Amino acid sequence: NMTFEREQEFAFELSTIGKRIKKLRVNKKMTQSQLATFCDIDIRSIQRIEKGEQNLSISLLYSISESLEVLPYDLLNPNIKL
C-alpha cells in the first residue's frame, strides 16, 4: 500500500507528465482528437492524461512520445526543456 506522501508525489508526477504532453501537443498545433486517434485511444483518455487524472501504460507513453516526436524520457524528465 502506498503511503499518503507517496500518493501525493505520484499525483504530482502524473500532473507534470500531463502538462508536458499538453505543452508539446499545443506546440505542434495538434488537437486532443488528433493525438487520441494517433494513439488509438479515446479523446477523454487524452483529456484525463493531460490533467494528470489518469495513469498511462508504458506502451501508451511510447505511442504519445512517438506522435509528439520526442523520446519517452523527455516526457518523464521535468528537467528537460521542451
Side-chain angles (χ1 to χ4, degrees), residues 6 12 14 44 48 51 61-62 69:
R6 184 61 193 126
F12 174 77
L14 285 178
R44 185 68 187 120
R48 288 191 300 258
K51 290 180 183 177
L61 179 70
Y62 271 88
E69 300 176 326

Side-chain angles (χ1 to χ4, degrees), residues 14-15 17-19 21-22 25 31-37 39 41-56 60 64:
L14 285 178
S15 175
I17 293 166
K19 287 176 186 172
I21 290 169
K22 181 176 182 176
R25 178 184 59 75
T31 66
Q32 289 178 329
S33 179
Q34 289 169 324
L35 182 57
T37 298
C39 297
I41 60 173
D42 62 285
I43 189 172
R44 185 68 187 120
S45 291
I46 292 294
Q47 292 168 342
R48 288 191 300 258
I49 289 167
E50 287 187 353
K51 290 180 183 177
E53 298 172 352
Q54 180 174 321
N55 198 354
L56 57 159
L60 181 54
I64 290 172

